């Protein structure tokens, strides 16, 4: 997606350990025009699929999933990372190691909101080592739902996530794939 790549080059930044900062348009302040284009692009990539629900993970996946869901006209469910008294007791759970935070946490989704036989599309902002996406796939499988695929805005092609997800036969659509970061410059595939 050319407009996204352009935005990453002009407004993105490189933090430590090859962490890409997109705070000015995706992760903190959000560029709604770009987000709308992202939603449309996911719709066109999964155009021929019947999607019943979009599943994402809090926090940065939510806005992307919501804008995408408008084009599919389906609800969004987001996995919770934090303990909450509001969360139902009956949950699907999976353990995820966070690359950016270097910690392990349990993601949870109420059993009410993912049902057996539903067609689920997973959406997230970044794919790095693929642990967040794998946790969501695990939850879809526990629920006996059908996984349509995984859509990510930015895939970091120099980490293992994309390879591992594709190896499992899961359809992965990445709107921008970063091949490497060299001399402080982002190089796309
Ligand atoms: P993974 O589980 O694939 O290793 O990492 C995916 C999650 O970590 C994403 O949901 C995203 O929030 C965060 N993440 C991973 N790499 C980056 C990065 O380079 N920049 C930002 N902003 N977030 C990242």
């Amino acid at each position: 997606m050319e407009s996204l790549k352009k935005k990453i080059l002009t407004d993105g930044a490189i933090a430590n350990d090859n962490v890409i900062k997109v705070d000015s348009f995706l992760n903190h302040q959000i560029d709604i025009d770009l987000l709308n284009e992202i939603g449309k692009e996911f719709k066109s990539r999964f155009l021929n699929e019947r999607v019943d629900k979009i599943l994402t993970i809090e926090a940065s996946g939510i806005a992307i999933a919501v804008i995408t869901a408008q084009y599919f006209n389906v609800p969004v469910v987001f996995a919770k990372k934090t303990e909450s008294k509001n969360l139902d007791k009956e949950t699907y759970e999976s353990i995820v190691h966070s690359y950016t935070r270097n910690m392990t946490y349990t993601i949870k989704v109420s059993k009410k909101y993912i049902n057996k036989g539903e067609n689920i599309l997973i959406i997230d902002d970044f794919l790095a080592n693929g642990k967040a996406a794998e946790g969501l796939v695990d939850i879809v499988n526990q629920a006996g739902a059908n996984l349509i695929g995984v859509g990510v805005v930015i895939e970091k092609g120099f980490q293992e996530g994309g390879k591992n997800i594709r190896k499992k036969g899961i359809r992965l659509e990445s709107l921008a794939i970063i091949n490497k970061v060299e001399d402080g410059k982002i190089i796309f595939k």
Side-chain angles (χ1 to χ4, degrees), residues 12-174:
I14 296 144
N16 295 335
D17 299 330
N18 289 339
V19 170
I20 316 293
K21 270 176 75 83
V22 290
D23 283 16
S24 68
F25 60 95
L26 196 65
N27 279 165
H28 197 10
Q29 173 172 258
I30 298 177
D31 179 330
I32 296 301
D33 289 339
L34 180 68
L35 208 64
N36 251 317
E37 276 191 61
I38 287 170
K40 278 184 205 158
E41 182 68 24
F42 280 132
K43 174 67 186 174
S44 77
R45 299 221 185 176
F46 291 98
L47 193 61
N48 297 320
E49 302 289 353
R50 206 197 87 210
V51 172
D52 296 316
K53 267 176 200 169
I54 293 182
L55 177 65
T56 188
I57 184 166
E58 67 178 354
S60 20
I62 297 175
I64 302 159
V66 165
I67 217 143
T68 303
Q70 288 191 116
Y71 295 102
F72 287 91
N73 205 14
V74 296
V76 170
V77 178
F78 63 92
K80 303 222 180 194
K81 284 177 180 169
T82 45
E83 285 301 324
S84 161
K85 283 191 182 140
N86 293 329
L87 193 60
D88 295 332
K89 293 275 171 292
E90 292 289 301
T91 53
Y92 298 114
E93 301 184 3
S94 193
I95 293 169
V96 170
H97 180 76
S98 164
Y99 171 77
T100 39
R101 293 199 231 162
N102 194 24
M103 61 178 279
T104 298
Y105 54 90
T106 304
I107 60 169
K108 296 184 184 184
V109 174
S110 168
K111 289 190 177 177
K112 276 188 204 156
Y113 301 127
I114 306 270
N115 300 300
K116 194 169 175 201
E118 279 179 333
N119 289 345
I120 308 291
L121 173 62
I122 292 173
I123 294 283
D124 203 5
D125 58 346
F126 275 87
L127 184 78
N129 290 325
K131 300 300 170 198
E134 281 173 15
L136 294 172
V137 169
D138 183 23
I139 283 176
V140 171
N141 290 337
Q142 287 178 44
N146 307 318
L147 181 63
I148 295 300
V150 176
V152 295
V153 179
I154 304 169
E155 177 182 341
K156 291 157 81 186
F158 52 89
Q159 287 181 240
E160 295 301 297
K163 203 171 72 190
N164 292 341
I165 299 263
R166 291 183 180 98
K167 213 161 59 189
K168 288 183 180 151
I170 295 169
R171 177 169 174 200
L172 172 62
E173 293 288 344
S174 307

